Amino acid sequence: LGASETYQFTATVTNASDTAVTWGLSGCTSACGTISDSGVYAAPSMIASAAAVTITATSRADPTKTATVNLALRPVSVSVAPNVPGNVMPGATRSFTATLDHDPKNAGVTWTLSGAGCSGDSCGTLANVTGTSVAYHAPAAEPSPHTVTLMATSVTDVNQIARVTLTVSANPFLLEGKYAFLINGWWNGIMEAIAGQFTADGNGGLTGVWDANRGAAADVAQAISGTYNIQPDGHGIMTIRAGSATFMYIVSVDAAGATARFAESTVPPGNEHRGSSGYMARRDTNSFNLSPVEGDRVIAVYGEATGSHVAALGHIRTGTGTSNDSIIITGTGSPQDSIIDLSWDITSNTAKFPNTVPLSGKFGAPDASTGRGTAELTVGTGATATYHFAYYTISETRLLLVQTDARGFIGGLLIPTLSGEIRLQENAGAFTNASLNSPFVFDLTNADMFEFGIDAPMVRLGQMAPNGSGARTTTLDQNVGNSVEFSGPLITLNATFTGTYSVSANGRATWSIEPGLKGGYYGNAATIAYLVAENEGYFMTPDADGAAFGAFEPQSGGPFSVAAMAGTYLLNTGPPAMPQVENSAGWMTLDENGNGIAVLYVNAGSGPSPLSLTAAVTVASNGRGTLVLNTTPPSVARNLVFWAISPDRWVAISTVNPDDTKPVLLFIERQ
């Protein structure tokens, strides 16, 4: 029932001469409504939120005999159609209708407009306004930012609001210009790592080059071409042709077309490979030179070596021996010069953690038209190994790179398959414990800590709160997935630990991973991190079959609330840690009550398969929240825990789902 509605209940008493009953209400704390002596129930005049009431009939002849029925009270609900975030060309008109349920007054809605970059008529105008319909006329000039929100507010209950997010732009979600990208995942059960670049022509065509490493062989500087089609809601399809192969990706693009995430969807049914995930960024063409590797940088790469996940983090200093066509890495081993921590021994695939060794080598100047360059990195003392990379610049502060060596052993030295990023290091040479001084959010991924290649991917995320003096508190959520030892996923939720940390001048930091995880299997093994700035960087931890790899970013925008998270978001899984792990992309829109809708394109092996979902979010003031994505009609919910880096960016893991045995990170970014 809705507010003020009534219902006549009847009760039948048998085997008694007195067939009368007394009526009662229970199960509610306030605004229960009333029930008369004759069994007429009247709902309260206002229902703030959904509630349940139990109606009880008690025999007057024998009060031990009762019967009950449950009654659901529903608040006024408002929905708007169409309720899909979309683009409206400047000056164009779109019509919307509102539907209200459980409105005792049948009073309809009021319509309003708002936007971060507009007010009044600069957001647009409303015409043909009724309590259930409206025509939105977009302004002639695009607001900046382009987003406008249309709100339908119940007249009866002003707390009940439905929203539609619109983008007023003559060039909606346009991919145009030069982009660099990084892809990680699996190809026929083999880990693949790809870095590349393409130029999008703004009309659905792209051309470029990539370096694709699939373990036993690498396609170096391979020409690519393809097509793309981006829809008004920001999702689209991108195909890339490389040689005789064609790859399809589901793409989620931000409104400015500056960044995008994507998930592969080209896998034949029955293949154990579930695809790869990646991200792209529009490039600054002024960085197509050696400036992105000059000075102090942090290198962060991860991958696979003969059946084990590996990772490497280090500090790079360049400058000595610089010429117009190359730049030299210093490698004397001094803490202020170039060093790197490897998770492996270069003469075997045995984990040797931590394994801090000198780093030397050089970067060749990138091509002036593509921004692609090559690098040689030599690691180790005594026995040394030289690894070869292709890199693609994004800006003067960031580049992407992928190893171009074939995986295996060369001259007795281990050659892994690696990819990752190089970032400018701020405050180089002056880091201290005070450089970790406020809460940051971290994520961490590994595959199969016990039976690599079988069934145990691992994801962790959480918040670390350092005090600037070497002490910290960590709150952590973890899903280890399925393993033989634990007969199913091992899930740790909202666990809090205390510990210490230490930061060196070059940004290298150490702390202990938390005790008690996986039954204390890990003890207090050291974590290695390298800071790119205060409270920001990359880190890796030892695991039984290799290294887990992740990143951390300073948390901002708190205290957090559901209302602050209203809007439209891109959804994309991170690189899958193992074969058979789901990779998907999509979008989600939320109202200020934390409710909304989502569409998720899941790689099921036969092309893009969209799932229409409802979305429900809760969040605590510290940024830890829950996200439930449920198919419509409801069947099996996807339950996730997330940590908000800011109201605009979250990272999540699954908790209790059918696919929890193959968990993956989900990145959530405001569109």
Side-chain angles (χ1 to χ4, degrees), residues 404-426:
T404 53
D405 305 302
R407 185 191 63 198
F409 286 89
I410 298 178
L413 301 177
L414 179 67
I415 309 298
T417 299
L418 302 171
S419 64
E421 297 189 341
I422 291 179
R423 297 264 305 275
L424 174 69
Q425 188 181 53
E426 301 177 10

Side-chain angles (χ1 to χ4, degrees), residues 172-179 198-207 225-231 235-241 247-251 253 257 280 282:
F173 303 102
L174 185 65
L175 281 180
E176 184 173 12
K178 295 182 180 293
Y179 294 82
F198 63 76
T199 299
D201 63 10
N203 293 309
L206 61 87
T207 56
S225 61
T227 60
Y228 63 91
N229 181 16
I230 308 301
Q231 300 299 311
H235 97 271
I237 303 293
M238 179 174 69
T239 60
I240 293 180
R241 293 183 293 274
F247 305 85
M248 179 186 294
Y249 300 91
I250 307 300
V251 184
V253 187
M280 69 178 79
R282 186 182 285 140

Side-chain angles (χ1 to χ4, degrees), residues 31-98:
C32 297
T34 61
I35 191 164
S36 70
D37 292 342
S38 60
V40 177
Y41 173 80
S45 59
M46 183 64 68
I47 301 173
S49 60
V53 177
T54 299
I55 309 294
T56 302
T58 302
S59 169
R60 192 166 64 186
D62 182 356
T64 66
K65 300 301 189 292
T66 62
T68 62
V69 65
N70 293 322
L71 175 69
L73 298 181
R74 302 299 186 199
V76 176
S77 65
V78 185
S79 60
V80 173
N83 192 19
V84 176
N87 188 79
V88 183
M89 299 291 288
T93 300
R94 289 184 64 183
S95 297
F96 297 88
T97 59

Side-chain angles (χ1 to χ4, degrees), residues 194-227:
I194 302 172
Q197 67 85 29
F198 63 76
T199 299
D201 63 10
N203 293 309
L206 61 87
T207 56
V209 61
W210 73 11
D211 293 83
N213 192 332
R214 298 186 178 95
D219 293 318
V220 178
Q222 185 177 28
I224 61 173
S225 61
T227 60

Side-chain angles (χ1 to χ4, degrees), residues 25 100 396 432 607 614 665:
L25 304 175
L100 291 97
E396 292 191 356
T432 67
T614 60
L665 289 171

Side-chain angles (χ1 to χ4, degrees), residues 55 125 388 442 483:
I55 309 294
T125 56
H388 299 86
F442 64 86
S483 69

Side-chain angles (χ1 to χ4, degrees), residues 104-117:
K105 299 179 181 178
N106 197 28
V109 301
T110 57
W111 300 91
T112 55
L113 296 170
S114 64

Side-chain angles (χ1 to χ4, degrees), residues 495-592:
T496 300
F497 307 91
T498 58
T500 60
Y501 67 89
S502 177
V503 181
S504 301
N506 65 351
R508 184 179 186 271
T510 60
W511 58 80
S512 297
I513 68 171
E514 314 307 342
L517 301 179
K518 288 280 281 201
Y521 182 85
Y522 298 106
N524 286 300
T527 293
I528 304 298
Y530 278 83
L531 277 65
V532 298
E534 282 193 358
N535 304 304
E536 183 175 4
Y538 301 89
F539 72 125
M540 60 182 183
T541 68
D543 288 318
D545 263 325
F549 176 86
F552 53 96
E553 296 183 54
Q555 195 176 42
S556 62
F560 294 91
S561 67
V562 167
M565 293 178 166
T568 300
Y569 294 83
L570 307 180
L571 306 177
N572 205 96
T573 50
M578 293 178 60
Q580 302 168 334
V581 173
E582 176 183 299
N583 59 308
S584 52
W587 56 262
M588 171 179 69
T589 184
L590 298 171
D591 63 25
E592 64 183 17

